[in-house]
Amino acid sequence: MLRRRSITINRTIKQNYHNAKIKSESNYHAWIKLTLSALIPLMIAIFTIVTTILQQKLSTQQREQEKQDSLLLRQQTERQEDNLQKENIFATYLDDVSKLLLLENQTNSLIHIRMKTLSALRQLDPTRRKYLFLFLYESGLIYRYPEQPYVSLLKLIDADFNGIYFEGTIETKCSLIHLYLYGVYLSNSSFIHCYIDYSNFSSATMYKTLFLNTLVMRTSFKFTFLDQANFSNTKISDTTFKGASLIECDFTGARWKENDVDFINANLSGAMISDEQLRNSTLYNCILPNGTWGPIRTNNLVVNGDAEKNVSFNLVFCIC
Ligand SMILES: *[C@@H]1O[C@H](CO)[C@@H](O)[C@H](O)[C@H]1NC(C)=O
Ligand SMILES: *[C@@H]1O[C@H](CO)[C@@H](O)[C@H](O)[C@H]1NC(C)=O
Ligand SMILES: *[C@@H]1O[C@H](CO)[C@@H](O)[C@H](O)[C@H]1NC(C)=O
Ligand SMILES: *[C@@H]1O[C@H](CO)[C@@H](O)[C@H](O)[C@H]1NC(C)=O
Ligand SMILES: *[C@@H]1O[C@H](CO)[C@@H](O)[C@H](O)[C@H]1NC(C)=O
Ligand SMILES: *[C@@H]1O[C@H](CO)[C@@H](O)[C@H](O)[C@H]1NC(C)=O
Ligand SMILES: *[C@@H]1O[C@H](CO)[C@@H](O)[C@H](O)[C@H]1NC(C)=O
Ligand SMILES: *[C@@H]1O[C@H](CO)[C@@H](O)[C@H](O)[C@H]1NC(C)=O
């Protein structure tokens, strides 16, 4: 009886346990089902979001790429147009000036040529400026043979030749002689392995211009602005720098004979110039590299002989 009962109890417990197990299993299944059914939309949602983000990123990249491509294309087109425009300006200039050169009245045509030259130069790049320069040189307009009257020459005061570049070789120097370049702008220009003779750069503005390994003879740099110009390894003879501004000019390795170069009234402040070079130069009334005055001589005061341009620099010397 007792045993039976215990069995009964046992069975009941088992049954209960079994029921509970079934119940919990079915709960478990339901839960998994629920989770799964919730998970699938969630995964789809995540997938959608991730794909959307990726797509957006991709299309942003694409847009950036397209933007960049069109920018490059536009820049290229602009460059081509700009180049074409400059080519046209240059071609028109050559045509016009060639016609003007054939006219009878030279005085009249020189004024026209001057105007056309100033206007063309403003719009051209350094390479075409150089070819324009050579055109004027070979037409004899900026070439002054001895005793030639100045009125027969092209006045290029304020003409913009900045950045033009001449370079020869040791064997074949680039030869530029009898140049008449009074008052022009020639900053950032280069004359490398050149031969410059009988030339007139008076009152020109030539900041940072290079005269490297060049031969400069019988040339005038009167009242020329040559700040930070570089005359490295250049041979100079019979040349004047009267009243020139030569601040921080580099004369390293430059050579000239005794009394062959004069710096009268010039400003050599901060220039790189050796004591030997200074000894070989005429230095009256100039500012030496260290900022002190050279020997003062009142009878050596020069007035601006090339007085077409008002250069205030020479006013300083009135103090003596
Ligand atoms: C040339 O033109 C200038 C200015 O118009 C005039 O003064 C001069 O007389 C002209 N010369 C000749 C030779 O025609
Ligand atoms: C010369 O070149 C320098 C840079 O090397 C530039 O800053 C300056 O504007 C240029 N000057 C002229 C007149 O072209
Ligand atoms: C002048 O030119 C020479 C040769 O190119 C160079 O070595 C030197 O540094 C230049 N001087 C200055 C002040 O730039
Ligand atoms: C200075 O002049 C003397 C004699 O004219 C010459 O021998 C010497 O080479 C010159 N020095 C320089 C640095 O040019
Ligand atoms: C010479 O150049 C230096 C440096 O720029 C300047 O301070 C000085 O005033 C100049 N001297 C004269 C007399 O112009
Ligand atoms: C300045 O330089 C000159 C020439 O090199 C020299 O004779 C003079 O003694 C120097 N002056 C000073 C104050 O350094
Ligand atoms: C340079 O040209 C100017 C202006 O025409 C002139 O006054 C000067 O005498 C010339 N200098 C030389 C050395 O020929
Ligand atoms: C040159 O400049 C000075 C000072 O700025 C002025 O008094 C003088 O009249 C000018 N001279 C000419 C010829 O322009």
Side-chain angles (χ1 to χ4, degrees):
M1 182 69 193
L2 204 89
R3 197 187 161 111
R4 227 190 118 113
R5 205 169 156 198
S6 87
I7 290 168
T8 320
I9 291 165
N10 232 355
R11 193 179 283 157
T12 319
I13 291 169
K14 255 190 184 159
Q15 191 68 47
N16 280 351
Y17 174 73
H18 187 67
N19 283 350
K21 200 174 164 192
I22 287 172
K23 209 171 164 193
S24 91
E25 248 168 39
S26 76
N27 266 353
Y28 180 63
H29 279 140
W31 194 79
I32 285 186
K33 240 172 151 176
L34 193 76
T35 317
L36 276 180
S37 58
L39 212 57
I40 290 166
L42 190 69
M43 273 164 68
I44 292 174
I46 291 172
F47 178 76
T48 316
I49 290 168
V50 169
T51 332
T52 315
I53 289 172
L54 279 178
Q55 255 169 3
Q56 264 173 2
K57 211 168 157 187
L58 212 68
S59 69
T60 314
Q61 268 176 359
Q62 248 167 8
R63 263 205 306 275
E64 284 289 307
Q65 188 65 44
E66 276 164 18
K67 239 176 25 202
Q68 213 156 19
D69 285 351
S70 76
L71 186 72
L72 279 178
L73 194 71
R74 206 170 58 231
Q75 279 174 345
Q76 200 185 354
T77 318
E78 271 169 14
R79 260 204 306 275
Q80 279 169 349
E81 277 169 6
D82 186 51
N83 203 33
L84 199 67
Q85 197 195 0
K86 290 197 165 100
E87 199 57 50
N88 281 336
I89 291 167
F90 188 50
T92 312
Y93 172 83
L94 292 185
D95 274 358
D96 290 354
V97 173
S98 303
K99 277 181 203 136
L100 284 170
L101 284 173
L102 296 174
L103 292 181
E104 293 271 316
N105 194 332
Q106 280 289 322
T107 331
N108 236 353
S109 53
L110 278 177
I111 297 166
H112 275 112
I113 294 172
R114 169 169 161 79
M115 286 308 147
K116 287 207 177 293
T117 307
L118 294 194
S119 143
L121 282 172
R122 256 198 303 275
Q123 301 171 75
L124 295 179
D125 54 307
T127 311
R128 288 189 182 86
R129 277 183 205 148
K130 172 187 169 175
Y131 288 114
L132 195 153
F133 182 98
L134 288 173
F135 167 76
L136 293 176
Y137 181 61
E138 276 151 27
S139 310
L141 288 168
I142 55 172
Y143 179 98
R144 182 176 182 263
Y145 54 82
E147 311 306 321
Q148 186 180 0
Y150 288 109
V151 287
S152 62
L153 291 165
L154 182 61
K155 287 206 169 42
L156 279 177
I157 300 167
D158 292 341
D160 179 354
F161 284 111
N162 288 330
I164 61 170
Y165 190 94
F166 291 99
E167 183 166 11
T169 60
I170 299 172
E171 299 82 34
T172 348
K173 291 214 182 287
C174 171
S175 175
L176 295 162
I177 57 172
H178 293 286
L179 283 174
Y180 179 69
L181 292 171
Y182 180 83
V184 302
Y185 286 100
L186 264 169
S187 291
N188 290 343
S189 300
S190 307
F191 300 91
I192 302 166
H193 287 300
C194 287
Y195 168 67
I196 296 169
D197 203 355
Y198 290 112
S199 293
N200 191 338
F201 292 95
S202 287
S203 296
T205 304
M206 304 180 80
Y207 296 131
K208 297 192 177 178
T209 290
L210 305 178
F211 289 93
L212 306 178
N213 303 295
T214 284
L215 204 61
V216 177
M217 297 165 79
R218 294 165 281 222
T219 288
S220 166
F221 289 101
K222 266 192 197 173
F223 301 99
T224 306
F225 294 90
L226 282 158
D227 298 359
Q228 292 180 31
N230 193 336
F231 286 86
S232 267
N233 299 318
T234 278
K235 198 160 179 283
I236 308 176
S237 95
D238 196 8
T239 287
T240 175
F241 289 93
K242 271 195 187 70
S245 184
L246 295 157
I247 297 160
E248 293 172 19
C249 233
D250 189 350
F251 286 100
T252 310
R255 297 171 311 282
W256 56 85
K257 291 204 197 92
E258 226 170 322
N259 300 322
D260 225 9
V261 166
D262 86 76
F263 292 109
I264 296 168
N265 283 18
N267 191 343
L268 281 163
S269 180
M272 284 170 246
I273 185 165
S274 71
D275 286 341
E276 191 189 346
Q277 285 167 330
L278 286 176
R279 265 199 306 277
N280 280 2
S281 319
T282 314
L283 295 170
Y284 296 121
N285 309 323
C286 79
I287 312 267
L288 296 169
N290 57 15
T292 61
W293 285 85
I296 303 292
R297 265 213 194 166
T298 41
N299 62 346
N300 263 98
L301 288 178
V302 289
V303 274
N304 189 353
D306 309 352
E308 282 183 43
K309 212 180 190 184
N310 200 345
V311 186
S312 59
F313 181 66
N314 61 322
L315 294 176
V316 171
F317 302 97
C318 299
I319 53 165
C320 310

